[in-house]
Amino acid sequence: MPTAAIIGGGVIGSAWASRFLLNGWDVRFHDPAPNSEAVLNQVLDKARRWVPEVYDYLPAEGALNLCASIADAVTDAEWIQESTPERLEIKQAVLTEIQAGCMAEAIVASSTSGFMPSELQADSARPEQILVAHPYNPVYLLPVVEVVPSAVVPEETVQRAEASLSDIGMKPITLRAEIPAHVGDRLLEAVWREALWLIKDGVATTEQIDDLMTHGFGLRWSQKGL
């Protein structure tokens, strides 16, 4: 079975682990937080409950291995997903440690919702190995993932990333250029920003805006799109 290393847990990292496991990949998981295993188990329980409701076919579940270090987790992993806190210095330090222990041909992807791949690659040993694979929560149910390479990432690496993501049932959307916050969150930000102005100016309440979204646009968008 192919192997994925998940570096950083929380809701996103744990959901990535669940997505890979339930699609037949072995997973090596590392997160030093004291409650990381409990969070992982909670998310995995939800995924095991709901994913079979969405997918007609699932392979045999992969094997999960909790690792004490980044080095242990990334050894021999074909795909490495970094989901550490959204602070550039932390991500760069973790990516440096990942590259010190992983295979040169492995794909190293970041879940970052804001940073561009060129920022993550700064001072890295192999910048061409690092790209962004930004998912949406819950990762084990929502298939869309923004694949964001920088100019130094070879097309062959991008194609391998798309193939691996498709293999675990995801819908990779490869952006044509890098931009802070990528595309999906920028669209959401525009709606959120307008909602804040409407509340501030006394035009509508938070509850009214929520009702417009849930009883109107949300239902329509799910069927017909924007």
Side-chain angles (χ1 to χ4, degrees), residues 52-136:
E53 299 286 337
V54 177
Y55 293 93
D56 294 329
Y57 167 79
L58 289 171
E61 186 173 315
L64 174 63
N65 187 1
L66 303 181
C67 299
S69 69
I70 289 176
D72 288 342
V74 302
T75 300
D76 298 329
E78 292 97 327
W79 184 283
I80 300 158
Q81 188 73 33
E82 172 272 316
S83 302
T84 58
E86 199 75 359
R87 289 173 54 186
L88 185 58
E89 67 275 15
I90 292 177
K91 290 186 177 293
Q92 288 174 335
V94 168
L95 290 168
T96 296
E97 194 171 348
I98 287 172
Q99 287 193 311
C102 76
M103 299 185 295
E105 62 271 24
I107 291 174
V108 180
S110 174
S111 300
T112 179
S113 60
F115 296 120
M116 298 185 295
S118 56
E119 296 175 298
L120 301 172
Q121 295 163 350
D123 300 323
S124 64
R126 296 182 297 274
E128 70 280 0
Q129 186 179 27
I130 299 171
L131 49 74
V132 168
H134 173 237
Y136 288 84

Coordinates of all heavy atoms in Angstrom, one line a residue, residues 52-136:
P52 N -18.7 6.2 4.4 CA -19.4 5.2 3.7 C -20.8 5.6 3.2 O -21.4 5.0 2.3 CB -19.6 4.0 4.7 CG -18.4 4.2 5.6 CD -18.3 5.7 5.8
E53 N -21.4 6.7 3.8 CA -22.6 7.2 3.3 C -22.5 8.0 2.0 O -23.5 8.2 1.3 CB -23.3 8.1 4.4 CG -23.6 7.5 5.7 CD -24.8 6.6 5.7 OE1 -25.6 6.8 4.8 OE2 -24.9 5.6 6.5
V54 N -21.3 8.4 1.7 CA -21.0 9.3 0.6 C -20.5 8.5 -0.6 O -20.8 8.8 -1.8 CB -20.1 10.4 1.0 CG1 -19.8 11.3 -0.2 CG2 -20.7 11.3 2.1
Y55 N -19.6 7.6 -0.3 CA -18.9 6.8 -1.4 C -19.5 5.4 -1.6 O -19.7 4.7 -0.6 CB -17.4 6.8 -1.1 CG -16.7 8.1 -1.1 CD1 -16.6 8.9 0.0 CD2 -16.3 8.7 -2.3 CE1 -16.0 10.2 0.0 CE2 -15.7 9.9 -2.4 CZ -15.6 10.7 -1.2 OH -15.0 11.9 -1.3
D56 N -19.6 5.1 -2.8 CA -20.2 3.7 -3.1 C -19.2 2.6 -2.8 O -19.6 1.5 -2.5 CB -20.6 3.7 -4.6 CG -21.8 4.6 -4.9 OD1 -22.6 4.9 -4.0 OD2 -21.9 5.1 -6.0
Y57 N -17.9 2.9 -3.0 CA -16.9 1.9 -2.8 C -15.7 2.5 -2.0 O -15.3 3.6 -2.3 CB -16.4 1.4 -4.1 CG -15.2 0.5 -4.0 CD1 -15.2 -0.8 -3.6 CD2 -13.9 1.1 -4.3 CE1 -14.1 -1.6 -3.4 CE2 -12.8 0.3 -4.2 CZ -12.9 -1.0 -3.7 OH -11.7 -1.7 -3.6
L58 N -15.3 1.7 -1.1 CA -14.1 2.0 -0.3 C -13.2 0.8 -0.3 O -13.7 -0.3 0.0 CB -14.4 2.5 1.1 CG -15.1 3.9 1.2 CD1 -15.5 4.1 2.7 CD2 -14.1 5.0 0.8
P59 N -11.9 1.0 -0.4 CA -11.0 -0.2 -0.3 C -10.8 -0.6 1.2 O -11.3 0.1 2.1 CB -9.7 0.3 -0.9 CG -9.7 1.8 -0.7 CD -11.2 2.2 -0.8
A60 N -10.0 -1.6 1.4 CA -9.7 -2.0 2.8 C -9.0 -0.8 3.4 O -8.1 -0.2 2.8 CB -8.9 -3.3 2.8
E61 N -9.3 -0.5 4.7 CA -8.7 0.6 5.4 C -7.2 0.3 5.6 O -6.7 -0.8 5.9 CB -9.3 0.8 6.8 CG -8.8 2.0 7.5 CD -9.7 2.3 8.8 OE1 -10.9 2.2 8.7 OE2 -9.0 2.5 9.8
G62 N -6.4 1.4 5.4 CA -4.9 1.3 5.6 C -4.6 1.2 7.1 O -5.4 1.2 8.0
A63 N -3.3 1.0 7.3 CA -2.8 0.8 8.7 C -2.3 2.2 9.2 O -1.7 3.0 8.5 CB -1.6 -0.2 8.7
L64 N -2.6 2.4 10.5 CA -2.2 3.7 11.2 C -1.1 3.4 12.1 O -1.1 2.5 12.9 CB -3.4 4.2 11.9 CG -3.2 5.5 12.8 CD1 -2.8 6.7 12.0 CD2 -4.4 5.8 13.6
N65 N -0.1 4.3 12.0 CA 1.1 4.2 12.9 C 1.4 5.5 13.5 O 1.6 6.5 12.8 CB 2.3 3.7 12.1 CG 3.5 3.4 12.9 OD1 3.5 3.5 14.2 ND2 4.6 3.0 12.3
L66 N 1.3 5.6 14.8 CA 1.6 6.9 15.5 C 3.1 6.9 15.7 O 3.7 6.0 16.3 CB 0.9 6.9 16.8 CG -0.7 6.8 16.8 CD1 -1.3 6.9 18.2 CD2 -1.3 7.9 15.8
C67 N 3.7 8.0 15.3 CA 5.2 8.1 15.3 C 5.6 9.2 16.3 O 5.0 10.2 16.5 CB 5.7 8.5 13.9 SG 5.3 7.3 12.6
A68 N 6.8 8.9 16.9 CA 7.3 9.8 18.0 C 8.0 11.0 17.4 O 8.3 12.0 18.2 CB 8.2 9.0 18.9
S69 N 8.4 10.9 16.2 CA 9.2 12.0 15.6 C 8.8 12.2 14.1 O 8.3 11.3 13.5 CB 10.7 11.8 15.7 OG 11.1 10.7 14.8
I70 N 9.2 13.4 13.6 CA 9.0 13.7 12.2 C 9.8 12.7 11.4 O 9.3 12.2 10.4 CB 9.3 15.2 11.9 CG1 8.3 16.1 12.5 CG2 9.4 15.4 10.4 CD1 8.6 17.6 12.3
A71 N 11.0 12.5 11.8 CA 11.9 11.6 11.0 C 11.3 10.2 10.9 O 11.3 9.6 9.8 CB 13.3 11.5 11.7
D72 N 10.7 9.7 11.9 CA 10.1 8.4 11.9 C 8.9 8.4 10.9 O 8.7 7.4 10.2 CB 9.7 7.9 13.3 CG 10.8 7.6 14.2 OD1 11.9 7.3 13.7 OD2 10.6 7.5 15.4
A73 N 8.2 9.5 11.0 CA 6.9 9.5 10.2 C 7.2 9.6 8.7 O 6.5 9.0 7.9 CB 6.1 10.7 10.6
V74 N 8.2 10.4 8.3 CA 8.4 10.7 6.9 C 9.2 9.6 6.1 O 9.2 9.6 4.9 CB 9.0 12.1 6.6 CG1 8.1 13.1 7.3 CG2 10.4 12.2 7.2
T75 N 9.9 8.8 6.8 CA 10.7 7.8 6.2 C 9.9 6.9 5.2 O 8.9 6.3 5.6 CB 11.4 6.9 7.2 OG1 12.2 7.7 8.1 CG2 12.3 5.8 6.5
D76 N 10.3 6.9 4.0 CA 9.6 6.0 2.9 C 8.2 6.4 2.6 O 7.5 5.7 1.9 CB 9.6 4.5 3.4 CG 11.0 4.0 3.5 OD1 11.9 4.5 2.8 OD2 11.2 3.1 4.4
A77 N 7.8 7.6 3.0 CA 6.4 8.1 2.7 C 6.4 8.7 1.3 O 7.3 9.5 1.0 CB 5.9 9.1 3.7
E78 N 5.4 8.3 0.5 CA 5.3 8.9 -0.8 C 4.7 10.3 -0.8 O 5.0 11.2 -1.6 CB 4.5 8.0 -1.8 CG 5.1 6.7 -2.1 CD 4.7 5.6 -1.2 OE1 4.4 5.8 -0.1 OE2 4.6 4.5 -1.8
W79 N 3.8 10.5 0.2 CA 3.1 11.8 0.3 C 3.3 12.3 1.8 O 3.0 11.5 2.7 CB 1.6 11.7 0.0 CG 0.9 13.0 0.0 CD1 0.5 13.7 1.1 CD2 0.5 13.8 -1.1 NE1 -0.2 14.8 0.8 CE2 -0.2 14.9 -0.6 CE3 0.6 13.6 -2.5 CZ2 -0.7 15.9 -1.5 CZ3 0.1 14.6 -3.3 CH2 -0.6 15.7 -2.8
I80 N 3.7 13.5 1.9 CA 3.8 14.1 3.3 C 3.0 15.3 3.3 O 3.1 16.3 2.5 CB 5.3 14.4 3.6 CG1 6.1 13.2 3.5 CG2 5.4 15.1 5.0 CD1 7.6 13.4 3.2
Q81 N 2.0 15.3 4.3 CA 1.1 16.5 4.4 C 1.4 17.2 5.7 O 1.2 16.7 6.8 CB -0.4 16.0 4.4 CG -1.4 17.1 4.4 CD -1.5 17.8 3.0 OE1 -1.2 17.1 2.0 NE2 -1.8 19.1 3.0
E82 N 1.8 18.5 5.6 CA 2.1 19.3 6.8 C 0.8 20.1 7.1 O 0.3 20.8 6.3 CB 3.3 20.2 6.4 CG 3.6 21.3 7.5 CD 2.7 22.6 7.2 OE1 2.7 23.0 6.1 OE2 2.2 23.1 8.2
S83 N 0.4 20.0 8.4 CA -0.8 20.7 8.8 C -0.5 21.4 10.2 O -1.3 21.3 11.1 CB -2.0 19.8 8.9 OG -2.3 19.2 7.7
T84 N 0.6 22.0 10.3 CA 1.0 22.7 11.6 C 0.3 24.1 11.7 O -0.3 24.5 10.7 CB 2.5 22.8 11.6 OG1 3.0 23.6 10.5 CG2 3.2 21.4 11.7
P85 N 0.5 24.7 12.8 CA -0.2 26.0 13.0 C 0.2 27.0 11.9 O 1.3 27.0 11.4 CB 0.3 26.5 14.4 CG 0.6 25.2 15.1 CD 1.1 24.3 14.1
E86 N -0.7 28.0 11.6 CA -0.6 28.9 10.5 C 0.4 30.0 10.9 O 0.0 31.2 11.0 CB -2.0 29.4 10.1 CG -2.0 30.0 8.8 CD -2.0 29.0 7.6 OE1 -1.9 27.8 7.9 OE2 -2.1 29.4 6.5
R87 N 1.6 29.7 11.1 CA 2.7 30.6 11.4 C 3.9 30.2 10.5 O 4.4 29.1 10.5 CB 3.1 30.6 12.8 CG 2.1 31.3 13.8 CD 2.4 31.1 15.2 NE 3.8 31.6 15.5 CZ 4.4 31.5 16.7 NH1 3.8 30.9 17.7 NH2 5.6 32.0 16.9
L88 N 4.3 31.2 9.7 CA 5.3 30.9 8.6 C 6.6 30.3 9.2 O 7.1 29.3 8.6 CB 5.6 32.1 7.8 CG 6.5 31.9 6.6 CD1 5.9 30.9 5.6 CD2 6.7 33.3 5.9
E89 N 7.1 30.9 10.3 CA 8.3 30.4 10.9 C 8.2 28.9 11.3 O 9.2 28.1 11.2 CB 8.8 31.3 12.0 CG 8.0 31.3 13.3 CD 6.8 32.3 13.2 OE1 6.5 32.7 12.1 OE2 6.3 32.6 14.3
I90 N 7.0 28.6 11.9 CA 6.8 27.2 12.3 C 6.8 26.2 11.1 O 7.4 25.2 11.1 CB 5.5 27.0 13.1 CG1 5.6 27.8 14.4 CG2 5.2 25.6 13.3 CD1 4.4 27.8 15.3
K91 N 6.0 26.6 10.1 CA 5.9 25.8 8.9 C 7.3 25.6 8.2 O 7.7 24.5 7.8 CB 4.9 26.4 7.9 CG 3.5 26.2 8.4 CD 2.5 26.7 7.4 CE 1.1 26.5 7.9 NZ 0.7 25.1 8.0
Q92 N 8.1 26.7 8.1 CA 9.4 26.6 7.5 C 10.3 25.7 8.3 O 11.0 24.8 7.7 CB 10.0 27.9 7.3 CG 9.3 28.8 6.2 CD 9.8 30.2 6.2 OE1 10.4 30.7 7.2 NE2 9.7 30.8 5.0
A93 N 10.3 25.7 9.6 CA 11.1 24.9 10.4 C 10.7 23.4 10.3 O 11.5 22.5 10.2 CB 11.0 25.3 11.9
V94 N 9.4 23.2 10.3 CA 8.9 21.8 10.1 C 9.2 21.2 8.8 O 9.7 20.1 8.6 CB 7.4 21.8 10.4 CG1 6.8 20.4 10.0 CG2 7.1 22.0 11.9
L95 N 9.1 22.0 7.7 CA 9.4 21.6 6.4 C 10.9 21.3 6.2 O 11.3 20.3 5.5 CB 9.0 22.6 5.4 CG 7.5 22.8 5.2 CD1 7.1 24.0 4.4 CD2 6.8 21.6 4.5
T96 N 11.7 22.0 6.9 CA 13.2 21.8 6.9 C 13.4 20.4 7.5 O 14.2 19.6 7.0 CB 13.9 22.8 7.7 OG1 13.8 24.1 7.0 CG2 15.4 22.5 7.8
E97 N 12.8 20.1 8.6 CA 12.9 18.8 9.3 C 12.4 17.7 8.5 O 12.9 16.6 8.4 CB 12.3 18.9 10.7 CG 12.7 17.7 11.6 CD 12.2 17.9 13.0 OE1 11.7 19.0 13.4 OE2 12.3 16.9 13.8
I98 N 11.3 17.9 7.8 CA 10.7 16.9 6.9 C 11.7 16.6 5.8 O 11.9 15.4 5.6 CB 9.3 17.4 6.3 CG1 8.2 17.4 7.4 CG2 8.9 16.6 5.1 CD1 7.0 18.1 6.9
Q99 N 12.2 17.6 5.2 CA 13.1 17.3 4.0 C 14.4 16.6 4.5 O 15.0 15.9 3.7 CB 13.4 18.6 3.3 CG 12.2 19.1 2.5 CD 12.6 20.2 1.5 OE1 13.3 21.1 1.8 NE2 12.2 20.0 0.2
A100 N 14.8 16.8 5.7 CA 16.0 16.2 6.2 C 15.8 14.7 6.3 O 16.8 13.9 6.3 CB 16.4 16.7 7.6
G101 N 14.5 14.2 6.4 CA 14.3 12.8 6.7 C 13.5 12.1 5.6 O 13.4 10.8 5.6
C102 N 13.0 12.8 4.6 CA 12.1 12.2 3.6 C 12.9 11.8 2.3 O 14.0 12.3 2.1 CB 10.9 13.0 3.3 SG 11.3 14.5 2.3
M103 N 12.2 11.0 1.5 CA 12.8 10.7 0.2 C 12.8 12.0 -0.7 O 11.8 12.8 -0.6 CB 12.0 9.6 -0.5 CG 12.0 8.3 0.3 SD 11.1 7.0 -0.6 CE 9.4 7.6 -0.7
A104 N 13.8 12.1 -1.6 CA 13.8 13.3 -2.5 C 12.7 13.3 -3.4 O 12.2 14.4 -3.9 CB 15.2 13.3 -3.2
E105 N 12.1 12.1 -3.8 CA 11.0 12.0 -4.7 C 9.7 12.2 -4.1 O 8.6 12.2 -4.8 CB 11.1 10.8 -5.6 CG 11.0 9.5 -4.7 CD 12.3 8.9 -4.2 OE1 13.3 9.7 -4.1 OE2 12.4 7.7 -4.0
A106 N 9.6 12.2 -2.8 CA 8.3 12.3 -2.1 C 7.7 13.7 -2.4 O 8.4 14.7 -2.6 CB 8.5 12.2 -0.6
I107 N 6.4 13.8 -2.4 CA 5.7 15.0 -2.5 C 5.5 15.6 -1.1 O 4.9 14.9 -0.2 CB 4.4 14.9 -3.2 CG1 4.6 14.6 -4.7 CG2 3.5 16.1 -3.1 CD1 3.4 14.2 -5.5
V108 N 5.9 16.8 -0.9 CA 5.7 17.5 0.4 C 4.6 18.6 0.2 O 4.9 19.6 -0.5 CB 7.0 18.1 1.0 CG1 6.8 18.8 2.3 CG2 8.1 17.0 1.1
A109 N 3.5 18.4 0.8 CA 2.4 19.3 0.6 C 2.0 20.0 2.0 O 2.0 19.4 3.0 CB 1.2 18.6 0.1
S110 N 1.6 21.3 1.9 CA 1.2 22.0 3.0 C -0.3 22.3 3.0 O -0.9 22.6 1.9 CB 1.9 23.3 3.1 OG 1.4 24.1 4.2
S111 N -1.0 22.2 4.1 CA -2.4 22.5 4.2 C -2.7 24.0 4.3 O -3.9 24.4 4.5 CB -3.0 21.8 5.4 OG -2.9 20.4 5.3
T112 N -1.7 24.8 4.3 CA -1.8 26.3 4.6 C -3.0 26.9 3.9 O -3.2 26.7 2.7 CB -0.5 27.0 4.3 OG1 -0.7 28.4 4.6 CG2 -0.1 26.9 2.8
S113 N -3.7 27.7 4.6 CA -4.9 28.4 3.9 C -4.4 29.8 3.5 O -5.2 30.5 2.8 CB -6.0 28.5 4.9 OG -5.6 29.2 6.1
G114 N -3.2 30.2 3.8 CA -2.9 31.6 3.5 C -1.5 31.8 2.8 O -1.4 32.7 1.9
F115 N -0.5 31.0 3.2 CA 0.8 31.2 2.7 C 1.0 30.7 1.2 O 0.4 29.6 0.9 CB 1.9 30.6 3.6 CG 1.9 31.2 4.9 CD1 1.7 30.5 6.1 CD2 2.2 32.6 5.1 CE1 1.7 31.0 7.3 CE2 2.2 33.2 6.4 CZ 1.9 32.4 7.5
M116 N 1.8 31.4 0.5 CA 2.1 30.9 -0.9 C 3.2 29.9 -0.8 O 4.1 29.9 0.1 CB 2.5 32.1 -1.8 CG 1.4 33.1 -2.0 SD 1.8 34.4 -3.1 CE 3.1 35.2 -2.3
P117 N 3.3 29.0 -1.8 CA 4.4 28.0 -1.8 C 5.8 28.6 -1.8 O 6.7 28.1 -1.2 CB 4.1 27.1 -3.0 CG 3.1 27.9 -3.8 CD 2.4 28.7 -2.9
S118 N 5.9 29.7 -2.5 CA 7.3 30.3 -2.6 C 7.7 30.8 -1.2 O 8.9 30.8 -0.9 CB 7.3 31.5 -3.6 OG 6.3 32.4 -3.2
E119 N 6.7 31.2 -0.3 CA 7.1 31.5 1.0 C 7.5 30.3 1.8 O 8.4 30.4 2.6 CB 5.9 32.2 1.7 CG 5.5 33.5 1.1 CD 4.2 34.1 1.7 OE1 3.2 33.5 1.6 OE2 4.3 35.2 2.3
L120 N 6.8 29.2 1.6 CA 7.1 28.0 2.4 C 8.5 27.5 1.9 O 9.2 26.8 2.7 CB 6.1 26.9 2.1 CG 4.6 27.3 2.6 CD1 3.7 26.2 2.1 CD2 4.5 27.5 4.1
Q121 N 8.8 27.6 0.7 CA 10.1 27.1 0.1 C 11.3 27.9 0.4 O 12.4 27.4 0.2 CB 9.9 27.0 -1.4 CG 8.9 26.1 -2.0 CD 8.5 26.4 -3.4 OE1 8.9 27.4 -4.0 NE2 7.7 25.5 -4.0
A122 N 11.2 29.1 1.0 CA 12.3 29.9 1.3 C 13.3 29.2 2.1 O 13.0 28.6 3.2 CB 11.9 31.2 1.9
D123 N 14.6 29.1 1.6 CA 15.7 28.5 2.4 C 15.6 27.0 2.5 O 16.3 26.4 3.3 CB 15.9 29.2 3.7 CG 16.2 30.6 3.7 OD1 16.9 31.0 2.7 OD2 15.8 31.4 4.5
S124 N 14.7 26.4 1.8 CA 14.5 24.9 1.9 C 15.6 24.2 1.1 O 16.1 24.8 0.1 CB 13.1 24.5 1.4 OG 12.9 24.8 0.0
A125 N 15.8 23.0 1.4 CA 16.9 22.2 0.7 C 16.4 21.9 -0.7 O 17.3 21.9 -1.6 CB 17.2 20.9 1.5
R126 N 15.2 21.5 -0.9 CA 14.7 21.2 -2.2 C 13.3 21.9 -2.4 O 12.2 21.3 -2.3 CB 14.5 19.7 -2.3 CG 15.8 18.9 -2.2 CD 15.5 17.4 -2.4 NE 14.7 16.8 -1.3 CZ 15.1 16.4 -0.1 NH1 16.4 16.5 0.2 NH2 14.3 15.9 0.8
P127 N 13.4 23.2 -2.8 CA 12.1 23.9 -3.0 C 11.2 23.3 -4.0 O 9.9 23.4 -3.9 CB 12.6 25.3 -3.4 CG 14.0 25.1 -3.9 CD 14.6 24.0 -3.1
E128 N 11.7 22.6 -5.0 CA 10.9 22.0 -6.0 C 10.0 20.9 -5.5 O 9.1 20.4 -6.2 CB 11.8 21.5 -7.2 CG 12.6 20.3 -6.9 CD 13.9 20.6 -6.1 OE1 14.2 21.8 -5.8 OE2 14.7 19.7 -5.8
Q129 N 10.3 20.4 -4.3 CA 9.5 19.3 -3.7 C 8.3 19.8 -3.0 O 7.4 19.0 -2.7 CB 10.5 18.6 -2.7 CG 9.9 17.3 -2.2 CD 11.0 16.6 -1.2 OE1 11.8 17.3 -0.7 NE2 10.9 15.3 -1.1
I130 N 8.2 21.1 -2.7 CA 7.1 21.6 -1.8 C 6.1 22.3 -2.6 O 6.4 23.1 -3.4 CB 7.7 22.6 -0.8 CG1 8.8 21.8 0.1 CG2 6.6 23.2 0.1 CD1 9.6 22.8 1.0
L131 N 4.8 22.0 -2.3 CA 3.7 22.7 -2.9 C 2.6 22.8 -1.9 O 2.7 22.2 -0.8 CB 3.2 22.0 -4.2 CG 2.9 20.5 -4.2 CD1 1.7 20.1 -3.5 CD2 2.8 20.0 -5.6
V132 N 1.5 23.5 -2.2 CA 0.4 23.7 -1.3 C -0.7 22.7 -1.8 O -1.0 22.6 -3.0 CB -0.1 25.1 -1.3 CG1 -1.5 25.2 -0.6 CG2 0.8 26.0 -0.6
A133 N -1.3 22.0 -0.8 CA -2.5 21.2 -1.1 C -3.5 21.6 0.0 O -3.6 21.1 1.1 CB -2.3 19.7 -1.0
H134 N -4.3 22.6 -0.3 CA -5.2 23.3 0.7 C -6.6 22.7 0.6 O -7.3 22.8 -0.4 CB -5.3 24.8 0.4 CG -6.3 25.5 1.3 ND1 -7.3 26.2 0.8 CD2 -6.5 25.5 2.6 CE1 -8.1 26.7 1.8 NE2 -7.6 26.2 2.9
P135 N -7.0 21.9 1.6 CA -8.4 21.3 1.6 C -9.4 22.2 2.3 O -9.1 23.3 2.8 CB -8.1 20.0 2.4 CG -7.2 20.6 3.5 CD -6.3 21.6 2.9
Y136 N -10.6 21.6 2.4 CA -11.7 22.3 3.1 C -12.3 21.3 4.1 O -12.4 20.1 3.8 CB -12.8 22.8 2.1 CG -12.2 24.0 1.4 CD1 -11.4 23.9 0.2 CD2 -12.4 25.3 1.8 CE1 -10.9 25.0 -0.4 CE2 -11.9 26.4 1.2 CZ -11.1 26.3 0.1 OH -10.6 27.3 -0.6

